[in-house]
Amino acid sequence: MAADLLFELGCEELPPHLLQPLAQSLQQQIESALQEAGIPFSSSQTFATPRRLALRIHDLASEQPDQAIERRGPAIAAAFKDGQPTKAAQGFAASCGVTVDQLEQLETDKGSWLVYRSLQAGQSTASLLPELLSQAIHQLPVPKRMRWGATRQEFSRPVHWLVLLHGEQVVPMSLFGLQAGAITYGHRFHAPQAITLSSPADYEAQLEAAHVIASFDRRREMIRTQVLAQAEQHQGEAVIDPDLLDEVTGLVEWPVALTGSFDEGFLAVPDACLISSMKANQKYFHLIDEEGKLLPRFITISNIDSQNPSLVILGNERVIRPRLADAAFFFETDKKTPLDQRAAGLAKVVFQQQLGTLADKTRRIRALALHIAQRIGADADHVARAAELSKCDLNTEMVLEFPELQGLMGEAYALHDGENPEVCRALREQYLPRNASDALPATLAGICLALADRLDTLTGIFGIGQKPSGVKDPFALRRATLGVLHILVHKQLDLDLKELIQLALAQHQNLPQADQVEQSLLDYMLDRFRAWYQAQGLATELFLAVRQRGVTHPYDFDRRVQAVASFSERAEASALAAANKRVSNILSKQASELDIHSLEINNALLTEPAEITLAEQIAIKQIEVAPSYAKGDYQAALNLLASLREPVDQFFDQVMVMAEDPALRQNRLALLAALQNLFLHTADIAQLQG
């Protein structure tokens, strides 16, 4: 008999950023445990609010199914001697708790064996759940655990109630010093009294009646809808940052959107300062007009449905006013000192103990950025000036208070100082892209700075032996690498990553592991493409096909992968990939005796019709694909090579490559090498065979 299961852990307010990870981990842990225990269920659903983590398992069986057990023992030949059981047979029987005559015989194509078979009765789900759930809770990814009261139990926050219902029955369980029951609690202010749950199916409805929206996803959508409605009501457009939306969802159980306002005089401060203050400190959504200009209004999400919402709004307006006043004060104070005069102070700020100060980093960025500028045709004067100012805003009051504004404030202060517009914009663009979906630098100076800054950090940190390991990446080197790759690929810059690393290394002095950095960092950066293409839904084999070729130009790397991806969808791809793998295996076995790729085809030694045809087709394709390869049109080249499928198939069907005649054999190996080289100009498509 199956019924829904409800598990709820009632806590003091959990950190909002932990709600989703904890709920998802709880779901994964319990689903895996149930599957491992062999307890059938149909699906599961998570619930997460500031005061609770819950999971509902649909159609959970009341007991494990009976399990057939089969243990293989010794071979019959070793189990009996002269018709009598040996010690091996007797020992095996004893380990199974039976006598030898109770064992069965198993016949296989490899011989006969003693075997023990039995039927183990399934245990009740109720008897298994306490241990299963306890282990799942203790394996949750809680970064910081705390204790409370006299107990030595630990969790993210103190736990105050525990619910475990299977159907309408409470499953006995003890956790965190609490006994499981059917009692939960509603909203802390609107419905603080105990609620007796009737069944898992009624969980959401009973909590909603007590002013709690248990579903994280539903609550998030309610907030989004309310924010959009409030914005429309006040003739504005709400800017809904997904991360802020998630955070706010994790802060409330009963969301109510309210719109407040602030003094228009604050709009003289750069928008980014005001927005950062509203988001970071107060978790407000800001509004813009049709032209994208910031409006003097904000939307806050209250956790109560107040009878007098104007008082709630007034309270929020009183709180935000001094925050915005601080931002205005910092802005006016910072403007009194020109940005370039802050450069001297960078010598007092350590970037990294072994890599020097921000002044040292600035000098390295300037030199590297100028090298890059020369290669992409950027204005050297603009790049040099942008590099000199690139870290100056880190010494401003505004950025010290709001670190997330670095670059944005550099641009604002440089504009105030009358710097060249491209220089100003580059100061902001040096931090782009911040993530995979972020914008890329639009100016050439911004591109130079963004590449130089990241490459300087990457080479420096690798050079002092602090490269990422496992989940630890304190210097965000993965993000820096992806930033470099995104810029080079999407801006279609034909720059050699190996050369860029060499140039960046040349700017450093006395790196302890300098001699190991070039290849190690190059491999690390190019290997980031694996996850990149997986995120695009492309098979890992496509990445490996190009990675094997040692391509170090990211833009060229991407063009090759996209070409191979397109080619792999053709009907001829599988057969040609298999043929290339066969060719690779044959040639690799001969590599120790022959310099395969120095061999030349001798047409006079072509005797079989199939090899003559293949040689003719290879010669034709070498001419046809040359223009495509010359301009990097790998897809066109592979499309031309697709027609080789039939002559290649015929060759392997009709021709013996490893002929007894050495001259004939060597000539056929030369033919295969020429065939392989046609494809290797793009990628090693033999990798498509896995």
Side-chain angles (χ1 to χ4, degrees):
M1 181 176 177
D4 287 358
L5 176 83
L6 175 67
F7 173 71
E8 183 189 57
L9 203 63
C11 315
E12 291 186 13
E13 277 73 4
L14 292 162
H17 66 280
L18 282 182
L19 281 189
Q20 283 186 294
L22 288 178
Q24 291 166 1
S25 178
L26 180 66
Q27 183 179 37
Q28 293 167 1
Q29 298 277 1
I30 294 179
E31 281 193 354
S32 296
L34 290 172
Q35 290 165 355
E36 185 175 341
I39 306 175
F41 65 94
S42 61
S43 61
S44 67
Q45 181 180 6
T46 62
F47 303 95
T49 80
R51 300 178 67 213
R52 73 201 73 231
L53 286 173
L55 181 70
R56 185 164 61 205
I57 306 289
H58 297 282
D59 304 316
L60 182 68
S62 59
E63 60 183 22
Q64 292 175 308
D66 294 342
Q67 183 178 2
I69 296 176
E70 181 176 290
R71 287 182 58 191
R72 184 186 296 191
I76 295 297
F80 297 95
K81 184 176 182 181
D82 299 329
Q84 297 300 313
T86 63
K87 289 185 178 181
Q90 293 171 348
F92 174 65
S95 70
C96 297
V98 296
T99 59
V100 174
D101 60 351
Q102 291 177 297
L103 296 174
E104 299 178 37
Q105 189 167 318
L106 175 66
E107 300 291 339
T108 73
D109 55 359
K110 295 183 179 180
S112 302
W113 311 79
L114 280 182
V115 65
Y116 169 72
R117 293 189 178 98
S118 68
L119 189 65
Q120 179 176 300
Q123 299 181 62
S124 71
T125 300
S127 67
L128 296 170
L129 281 174
E131 180 62 23
L132 180 154
L133 292 172
S134 180
Q135 288 185 7
I137 289 296
H138 291 302
Q139 290 173 5
L140 292 180
V142 177
K144 292 183 179 180
R145 296 176 181 267
M146 63 179 294
R147 296 176 183 172
W148 60 96
T151 178
R152 297 187 64 81
Q153 304 257 24
E154 295 181 344
F155 195 57
S156 177
R157 291 293 186 271
V159 180
H160 293 303
W161 73 85
L162 181 65
V163 172
L164 187 56
L165 281 177
H166 191 200
E168 298 179 356
Q169 300 299 314
V170 172
V171 178
M173 177 184 177
S174 177
L175 184 65
F176 297 119
L178 300 168
Q179 295 299 317
I183 303 296
T184 188
Y185 293 85
H187 193 281
R188 185 183 292 277
F189 305 111
H190 288 302
Q193 62 275 13
I195 301 168
T196 301
L197 295 169
S198 54
S199 72
D202 296 331
Y203 177 67
E204 289 173 275
Q206 286 188 260
L207 281 182
E208 186 166 353
H211 280 73
V212 173
I213 304 299
S215 167
F216 188 96
D217 291 342
R218 184 179 166 217
R219 205 162 62 252
R220 178 173 51 193
E221 184 57 25
M222 286 176 64
I223 292 172
R224 191 187 70 83
T225 302
Q226 290 183 25
V227 167
L228 293 176
Q230 284 284 313
E232 183 177 0
Q233 182 179 335
H234 291 86
Q235 292 79 50
E237 178 185 340
V239 179
I240 302 178
D241 180 287
D243 292 336
L244 178 60
L245 180 59
D246 284 345
E247 186 173 8
V248 171
T249 304
L251 287 169
V252 299
E253 291 193 316
W254 188 259
V256 178
L258 301 170
T259 302
S261 62
F262 56 85
D263 192 329
E264 290 190 17
F266 287 123
L267 294 178
V269 180
D271 290 357
C273 304
L274 304 179
I275 293 169
S276 183
S277 184
M278 286 189 282
K279 287 173 61 176
N281 295 316
Q282 304 308 129
K283 316 304 176 190
Y284 294 161
F285 297 94
H286 63 279
L287 276 68
I288 57 176
D289 63 16
E290 293 179 351
E291 298 178 354
K293 295 180 180 178
L294 185 66
L295 292 172
R297 292 188 178 87
F298 62 86
I299 298 174
T300 182
I301 304 300
S302 175
N303 191 36
I304 59 173
D305 194 357
S306 175
Q307 294 181 351
N308 193 348
S310 61
L311 289 179
V312 179
I313 294 171
L314 182 61
N316 280 274
E317 290 175 343
R318 286 175 178 170
V319 170
I320 194 60
R321 190 175 298 117
R323 297 285 188 179
L324 299 183
D326 286 345
F329 173 77
F330 294 145
F331 182 59
E332 293 302 322
T333 301
D334 287 339
K335 286 193 300 182
K336 295 175 183 178
T337 304
L339 198 60
D340 59 1
Q341 291 185 19
R342 297 182 182 274
L346 297 178
K348 300 177 182 179
V349 183
V350 175
F351 166 61
Q352 200 282 335
Q353 186 175 6
Q354 294 174 269
L355 299 177
T357 65
L358 285 178
D360 297 322
K361 183 173 178 62
T362 298
R363 285 191 291 271
R364 296 194 299 266
I365 289 174
R366 184 182 187 278
L368 180 55
L370 284 172
H371 281 296
I372 297 171
Q374 184 178 10
R375 284 158 175 75
I376 68 173
D379 187 293
D381 292 337
H382 291 168
V383 170
R385 183 60 172 169
E388 291 162 4
L389 298 176
S390 61
K391 304 304 173 188
C392 290
D393 68 342
L394 299 181
N395 269 340
T396 63
E397 295 293 332
M398 186 71 81
V399 174
L400 288 172
E401 179 69 16
F402 302 109
E404 66 274 14
L405 295 180
Q406 57 186 318
L408 291 168
M409 296 316 303
E411 179 184 37
Y413 294 140
L415 285 170
H416 176 266
D417 296 342
E419 298 284 351
N420 179 278
E422 183 176 357
V423 170
C424 299
R425 191 168 180 181
L427 298 182
R428 170 171 54 84
E429 292 180 340
Q430 66 180 304
Y431 296 104
L432 299 178
R434 295 177 182 85
N435 52 59
S437 60
D438 200 9
L440 298 175
T443 64
L444 291 178
I447 290 172
C448 293
L449 242 62
L451 291 173
D453 188 8
R454 289 169 170 83
L455 287 165
D456 174 75
T457 298
L458 284 159
T459 52
I461 299 302
F462 265 68
I464 61 174
Q466 296 292 321
K467 62 183 182 181
S469 59
V471 296
K472 294 183 179 180
D473 187 12
F475 295 96
L477 300 189
R478 291 184 182 88
R479 189 168 64 214
T481 296
L482 290 173
V484 171
L485 297 179
H486 274 285
I487 292 171
L488 294 177
V489 170
H490 296 304
K491 288 296 179 179
Q492 301 183 1
L493 301 175
D494 193 18
L495 296 176
D496 186 350
L497 189 56
K498 183 175 183 178
E499 182 188 7
L500 292 177
I501 291 172
Q502 292 171 343
L503 290 170
L505 274 172
Q507 313 313 317
H508 288 278
Q509 296 179 354
N510 304 319
L511 289 177
Q513 299 184 18
D515 57 335
Q516 304 172 28
V517 172
E518 182 180 320
Q519 192 60 48
S520 176
L521 179 55
L522 181 63
D523 289 340
Y524 174 82
M525 296 185 74
L526 290 176
D527 285 345
R528 296 313 101 194
F529 269 130
R530 180 192 293 263
W532 170 313
Y533 293 120
Q534 285 177 344
Q536 295 180 19
L538 298 181
T540 300
E541 290 76 20
L542 301 174
F543 157 77
L544 293 174
V546 177
R547 187 74 176 91
Q548 289 288 330
R549 300 301 301 134
V551 180
T552 59
H553 291 61
Y555 175 47
D556 190 51
F557 194 110
D558 183 67
R559 284 189 296 175
R560 291 170 186 253
V561 170
Q562 301 302 335
V564 177
S566 177
F567 173 75
S568 68
E569 296 177 358
R570 295 184 63 109
E572 304 92 341
S574 180
L576 284 170
N580 269 268
K581 188 166 187 176
R582 185 174 179 181
V583 168
S584 179
N585 290 336
I586 293 172
L587 296 180
S588 63
K589 291 177 181 178
Q590 306 302 314
S592 60
E593 300 178 11
L594 297 170
D595 183 2
I596 297 295
H597 293 288
S598 68
L599 299 178
E600 294 185 3
I601 301 171
N602 183 346
N603 290 327
L605 293 176
L606 299 173
T607 59
E608 300 289 340
E611 66 179 331
I612 294 172
T613 299
L614 181 58
E616 291 173 348
Q617 288 300 309
I618 288 175
I620 292 171
K621 294 305 177 187
Q622 287 172 335
I623 296 171
E624 288 182 347
V625 301
S628 297
Y629 279 140
K631 59 184 178 181
D633 191 348
Y634 302 108
Q635 185 168 332
L638 289 177
N639 286 338
L640 288 169
L641 296 177
S643 62
L644 287 173
R645 174 185 176 177
E646 185 175 345
V648 168
D649 286 347
Q650 289 179 351
F651 175 84
F652 281 116
D653 287 343
Q654 302 172 22
V655 179
M656 174 66 72
V657 176
M658 305 306 292
E660 292 186 11
D661 184 339
L664 202 59
R665 180 171 64 247
Q666 186 168 305
N667 198 55
R668 289 171 181 172
L669 291 172
L671 186 62
L672 294 184
L675 171 66
Q676 185 185 55
N677 282 333
L678 278 173
F679 289 92
L680 288 179
H681 277 295
T682 297
D684 181 6
I685 69 166
Q687 296 293 325
L688 301 184
Q689 286 292 297

